[in-house]
Amino acid sequence: MLDQVALLATVTIVGVVLQAYFSLQVIAARRKFKVSPPSTTGPLEFERVFRAQVNCSEYFPIFMAVLWVSGIFFHQGTAAACGLVYLYSRYLYFKGYALSAQGR
């Protein structure tokens, strides 16, 4: 059974690490721009980082569900490859959104 879900589990771990990275970026932005929790407003630079993290977090449960269902019922390798492409796209989105409104 393990060989049937190993790739999906690996992509899941990569996704969780990416979400942790996004959260750490928000913490760093809070420190840099002196925005204390629970406040979510501040300089535009902070708000962009915060919104980018929230946007990525909002879609993470949907991504996980689609990854696992497609991997179990269709093909694990294809689902894992698509999952990695999605995660890389989310990383690029986060970086672009955090830099400027035009980078979205």
Side-chain angles (χ1 to χ4, degrees):
M1 165 110 179
L2 182 60
D3 60 323
Q4 296 173 350
V5 296
L7 294 175
L8 300 175
T10 302
V11 174
T12 298
I13 296 299
V14 171
V16 169
V17 169
L18 190 61
Q19 290 298 312
Y21 169 77
F22 296 156
S23 295
L24 290 172
Q25 295 303 302
V26 172
I27 292 169
R30 282 189 182 281
R31 291 178 180 157
K32 180 178 180 180
F33 300 109
K34 297 177 179 33
V35 178
S36 298
S39 181
T40 58
T41 58
L44 289 178
E45 294 85 359
F46 165 75
E47 289 185 13
R48 285 195 304 263
V49 173
F50 180 78
R51 280 305 313 159
Q53 185 265 336
V54 171
N55 288 348
C56 292
S57 295
E58 288 171 344
Y59 288 97
F60 193 67
I62 297 168
F63 164 69
M64 285 286 96
V66 171
L67 173 73
W68 280 88
V69 169
S70 63
I72 290 171
F73 289 102
F74 299 106
H75 191 271
Q76 176 187 203
T78 304
C82 291
L84 289 174
V85 169
Y86 174 82
L87 291 175
Y88 182 67
S89 300
R90 271 294 168 181
Y91 172 77
L92 294 177
Y93 170 83
F94 180 87
K95 286 300 198 182
Y97 196 110
L99 288 176
S100 70
Q102 291 77 25
R104 297 176 198 172

